[in-house]
């Protein structure tokens, strides 16, 4: 056997497993690299309603972010909005960035704005009609919410609606913001 043939065999032995690992890492990415508590928050890109510009996670670097993925047609999302607004009213001025990304694809931005106005929403609403945020965050339903710490790590992941003005959620947000945690039954506005 010639040296050239030996090197061809060695190269084949190395290339075939490497190619297999590459393909497996692409097809099984969600299983190998799950987006969960403790992982770095993935980047996203969503349109600012009524403007020709986009925001990304990098726009919120160093801030506490509650990222909510939702849709106007989603009944559980609608049920959750008042508690999100209460949380934002209590902690928005203290530094909480509440970013709700609508994944509506057949609804106009004006409809999304009207929907938010109907619910008295004062937090930031963005739009991702491409659904790319769902893939990046491995969302499995709506609403799905991620609390992201200042360092960019996911601190809480919640699938489905939640009471974001509950004592546990207010305590988590207060802790991440570095403000006093309100006692049970106490307003966070003090």
């Amino acid at each position: 056997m010639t040296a050239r043939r030996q090197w061809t065999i060695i190269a084949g032995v190395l290339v075939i497993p490497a190619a297999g690992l590459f393909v497996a890492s692409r097809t099984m990415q969600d299983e190998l690299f799950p987006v969960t508590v403790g992982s770095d928050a993935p980047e996203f890109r969503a349109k600012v309603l009524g403007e020709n510009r986009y925001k990304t996670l990098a726009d919120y670097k160093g801030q506490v972010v509650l990222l909510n993925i939702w849709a106007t047609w989603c009944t559980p999302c609608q049920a959750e909005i008042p508690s999100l607004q209460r949380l934002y009213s209590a902690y928005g001025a203290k530094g909480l960035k509440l970013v709700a990304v609508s994944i509506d694809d057949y609804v106009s931005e004006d409809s999304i704005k009207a929907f938010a106005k109907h619910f008295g929403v004062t937090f930031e609403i963005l739009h991702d009609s491409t659904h790319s945020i769902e893939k990046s965050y491995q969302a499995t339903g709506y609403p799905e919410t991620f609390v992201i710490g200042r360092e960019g790590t996911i601190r809480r992941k919640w699938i489905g609606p939640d009471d974001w003005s509950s004592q546990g959620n207010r305590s988590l947000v207060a802790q991440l913001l570095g403000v006093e945690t309100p006692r049970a039954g106490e307003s966070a506005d003090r």
Side-chain angles (χ1 to χ4, degrees):
M1 184 178 299
T2 67
R4 183 180 195 152
R5 181 152 171 92
Q6 288 175 344
W7 282 111
T8 303
I9 291 171
I10 291 171
V13 168
L14 294 175
V15 168
I16 291 171
L21 284 172
F22 177 79
V23 170
S25 70
R26 295 291 181 215
T27 59
M28 297 174 37
Q29 185 170 1
D30 290 355
E31 291 82 19
L32 295 173
F33 309 106
V35 175
T36 190
V37 173
S39 63
D40 289 339
E43 190 56 65
F44 71 84
R45 181 176 183 261
K47 189 172 186 306
V48 176
L49 293 178
E51 298 182 25
N52 193 22
R53 67 185 181 97
Y54 293 81
K55 283 201 165 182
T56 67
L57 182 63
D59 291 313
Y60 306 99
K61 186 176 181 176
Q63 300 178 44
V64 176
V65 177
L66 188 145
L67 177 64
N68 181 260
I69 302 171
W70 68 286
T72 57
W73 49 261
C74 166
T75 304
C77 300
Q78 294 170 20
E80 181 180 59
I81 288 174
S83 74
L84 287 168
Q85 183 59 48
R86 285 191 300 276
L87 182 71
Y88 183 70
S89 294
Y91 291 103
K94 296 176 182 177
L96 175 65
K97 299 299 178 190
L98 201 157
V99 182
V101 180
S102 164
I103 51 83
D104 286 289
D105 43 11
Y106 297 111
V107 175
S108 71
E109 288 184 15
D110 288 338
S111 295
I112 296 169
K113 280 190 214 177
F115 179 90
K117 184 178 180 179
H118 169 75
F119 280 94
V121 170
T122 61
F123 50 83
E124 189 168 23
I125 304 283
L126 302 176
H127 187 215
D128 177 18
S129 62
T130 68
H131 298 252
S132 65
I133 194 167
E134 290 176 80
K135 182 173 186 208
S136 297
Y137 280 78
Q138 301 171 5
T140 58
Y142 313 110
E144 193 153 333
T145 307
F146 302 83
V147 178
I148 303 166
R150 293 183 194 280
E151 74 292 341
T153 301
I154 296 173
R155 304 304 285 283
R156 182 163 194 253
K157 175 181 178 177
W158 191 258
I159 301 169
D162 196 14
D163 178 4
W164 290 98
S165 59
S166 71
Q167 178 65 26
N169 286 326
R170 290 184 310 132
S171 294
L172 172 62
V173 169
Q175 176 189 7
L176 292 173
L177 290 171
V179 299
E180 188 175 334
T181 302
R183 290 183 215 107
E186 184 177 71
S187 172
D189 296 332
R190 41 179 231 113

